[in-house]
């Protein structure tokens, strides 16, 4: 399907996603009024110079974000008939990704660790109109599993247009958070399995001129407390796929790589893992999933959701001391570090 024009898609699915986009990004006039009011206040003769600089900086960043997101060439119909392998679909953003792709008429192979939850998601996708849905239960902690998953998808779909890597794992029960055993397990699930899946799927994606979508975390760009092994895996993802993008470009291989930097996910395991440690609110799954799908379909190099995650990434390079202050505001620093 790589170079062929996809079908027109299901009208309801297209309407549904466009409505969600408008609801999420809001009214452009509201943004214009807010920026205009900020500029008027800043240019007042009585304005404090330090505060004026901060307002101007934030106003400029806001204008950049507005321009970036308002220029939207996302066509939901382009995903009708797309062959998608999606991992980590049992809950949260992965589950919402599966439902969005199903509404748009994509052909799906879904995978997750827990088969019972996986079967529920598959059933819901069929009800939502997915023409083909296959599933395979898989434990990404086992090094031999990723290649088997990709081969299953190729056998069922005849090729791949999208590889969407979304699975994650927390430290296994009974291990210390920063122990070598826990870190080794986290690296296999959250990094090495991504590399293995990519290596196995890349020939098919090359043939279809497809897209590789990597759902990562803000912790892969901005290190913070109480997450050192998990952050290490996410930083490794960012470095690996950024380098791979350069290699594919040099070799003139037409496979897009979209890195999705998300804040805290609204799933029970993620919320429980940071309970009492952070004040950050979880990102809504359906909206975050829509941002991921939009980025992959438009072959964007990066997706940041919510928008504040991009600001923190910029602060990491531009103003490291301010970055540290922002991070501290989101932490409950009275919580003792885990062993």
């Amino acid at each position: 399907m790589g170079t062929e024009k996809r079908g027109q898609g299901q009208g309801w699915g297209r309407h549904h996603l466009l409505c969600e986009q408008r609801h999420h990004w809001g009214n452009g006039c509201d943004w214009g009024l807010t920026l205009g009011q900020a500029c008027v206040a800043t240019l007042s003769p009585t304005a404090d110079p330090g505060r004026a600089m901060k307002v101007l900086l934030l106003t400029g960043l806001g204008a950049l974000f507005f321009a970036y997101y308002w220029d939207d060439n996302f066509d939901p119909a382009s995903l009708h008939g797309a062959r998608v392998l999606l991992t980590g679909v049992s809950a949260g953003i992965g589950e919402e990704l599966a439902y969005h792709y199903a509404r748009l008429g994509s052909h799906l192979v879904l995978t997750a660790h827990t088969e019972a939850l996986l079967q529920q998601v598959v059933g819901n996708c069929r009800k939502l109109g997915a023409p083909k849905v296959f599933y395979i239960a898989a434990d990404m902690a086992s090094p031999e599993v990723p290649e088997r998953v990709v081969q299953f998808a190729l056998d069922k779909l005849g090729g791949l247009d999208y590889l969407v890597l979304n699975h994650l794992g927390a430290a296994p029960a009974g291990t210390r958070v920063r122990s070598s055993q826990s870190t080794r397990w986290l690296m296999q699930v959250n990094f090495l399995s991504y590399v293995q899946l990519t290596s196995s799927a890349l020939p098919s994606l090359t043939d279809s001129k497809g897209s590789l979508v990597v759902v990562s975390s803000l912790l892969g760009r901005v290190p913070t407390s109480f997450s050192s092994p998990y952050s290490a895996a996410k930083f490794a993802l960012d470095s690996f796929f950024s380098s791979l993008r350069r290699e594919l470009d040099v070799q003139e291989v037409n496979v897009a790589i979209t890195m999705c930097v998300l804040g805290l996910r609204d799933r029970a395991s993620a919320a429980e893992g940071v309970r009492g440690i952070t004040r950050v609110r979880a990102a809504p799954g359906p909206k975050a999933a829509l941002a991921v799908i939009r980025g992959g379909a438009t072959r964007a190099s990066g997706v940041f959701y919510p928008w504040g995650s991009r600001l923190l990434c910029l602060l990491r390079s531009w103003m490291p001391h301010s970055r540290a202050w922002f991070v501290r505001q989101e932490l409950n620093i009275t919580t003792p570090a885990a062993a």
Side-chain angles (χ1 to χ4, degrees), residues 25 28 31-32 34-36 39 55-72 294 302 304 307-308 310-311 314-315 318:
W25 298 120
W31 275 76
T34 302
L35 294 176
C39 290
V55 171
L56 284 173
L57 174 62
L58 292 175
T59 300
L61 290 173
L64 288 174
F65 290 134
F66 171 71
Y68 175 81
Y69 286 116
W70 193 255
D71 183 20
D72 187 1
R294 173 188 177 276
F304 294 83
W307 71 270
R310 170 165 282 196
L311 177 59
L314 293 174
L315 287 173
W318 295 353

Side-chain angles (χ1 to χ4, degrees), residues 199-210:
S199 177
S200 299
L202 195 54
S204 179
L205 292 173
T206 301
D207 291 341
S208 65
K209 299 179 181 177

Side-chain angles (χ1 to χ4, degrees), residues 3-322:
T3 58
E4 298 177 4
K5 180 177 177 60
R6 307 195 200 280
Q8 292 305 305
Q10 299 178 351
W12 182 87
R14 178 186 175 92
H15 174 74
H16 173 80
L17 288 192
L18 289 176
C19 287
E20 282 202 30
Q21 281 184 290
R22 283 192 286 267
H23 173 73
H24 172 51
W25 298 120
N27 190 320
C29 295
D30 293 340
W31 275 76
L33 288 173
T34 302
L35 294 176
Q37 291 167 353
C39 290
V40 170
T42 301
L43 296 175
S44 170
T46 59
D48 176 68
R51 181 176 180 276
M53 288 299 296
K54 293 178 181 178
V55 171
L56 284 173
L57 174 62
L58 292 175
T59 300
L61 290 173
L64 288 174
F65 290 134
F66 171 71
Y68 175 81
Y69 286 116
W70 193 255
D71 183 20
D72 187 1
N73 61 348
F74 173 41
D75 179 13
S78 66
L79 291 170
H80 183 73
R83 300 164 297 177
V84 181
L85 170 56
L86 170 61
T87 69
V89 304
S90 60
I93 292 172
E95 182 179 2
E96 296 296 337
L97 283 168
Y99 295 158
H100 281 317
Y101 279 122
R103 291 186 185 101
L104 291 168
S106 300
H107 299 168
L108 302 173
V109 169
L110 308 178
T111 182
H113 181 270
T114 306
E115 185 166 4
L117 295 175
L118 183 55
Q119 289 175 339
Q120 293 177 12
V121 175
V122 168
N124 291 335
C125 286
R126 288 173 177 155
K127 293 176 183 177
L128 291 170
K132 293 181 182 179
V133 188
F134 306 97
Y135 74 91
I136 176 173
D139 181 3
M140 294 298 176
S142 300
E144 68 277 4
V145 165
E147 183 177 353
R148 189 164 70 238
V149 168
V150 172
Q151 189 58 53
F152 176 85
L154 295 176
D155 291 342
K156 293 299 183 181
L157 301 180
L160 289 174
D161 300 299
Y162 289 89
L163 173 61
V164 184
L165 302 175
N166 171 71
H167 61 280
L168 60 84
T175 62
R176 290 182 301 155
V177 174
R178 288 188 293 273
S179 69
S180 60
Q181 178 186 0
S182 172
T183 302
R184 190 177 299 111
W185 187 92
L186 284 169
M187 291 298 289
Q188 170 59 40
V189 174
N190 297 327
F191 172 60
L192 293 177
S193 67
Y194 279 58
V195 175
Q196 292 172 296
L197 288 161
T198 299
S199 177
S200 299
L202 195 54
S204 179
L205 292 173
T206 301
D207 291 341
S208 65
K209 299 179 181 177
S211 294
L212 176 59
V213 181
V214 183
V215 181
S216 188
S217 167
L218 182 60
L219 295 182
R221 294 291 187 90
V222 181
T224 188
S225 307
F226 312 114
S227 63
S228 46
Y230 183 81
S231 289
K234 294 303 181 182
F235 266 87
L237 279 181
D238 186 68
S239 296
F240 176 83
F241 285 103
S242 295
S243 178
L244 179 60
R245 184 188 292 116
R246 300 274 189 259
E247 293 172 15
L248 296 178
D249 183 59
V250 168
Q251 296 168 354
E252 297 185 348
V253 176
N254 191 9
V255 174
I257 296 180
T258 300
M259 287 295 299
C260 304
V261 179
L262 306 184
L264 179 63
R265 309 186 186 196
D266 65 341
R267 55 186 296 177
S269 59
E272 185 62 32
V274 297
R275 189 180 302 279
I277 294 177
T278 181
R279 302 185 180 95
V280 177
R281 292 193 300 174
K287 293 182 179 180
L290 178 59
V292 171
I293 287 177
R294 173 188 177 276
T298 58
R299 303 172 76 86
S301 61
V303 170
F304 294 83
Y305 189 90
W307 71 270
S309 60
R310 170 165 282 196
L311 177 59
L312 280 176
C313 292
L314 293 174
L315 287 173
R316 179 193 174 204
S317 301
W318 295 353
M319 297 184 291
H321 298 296
S322 299

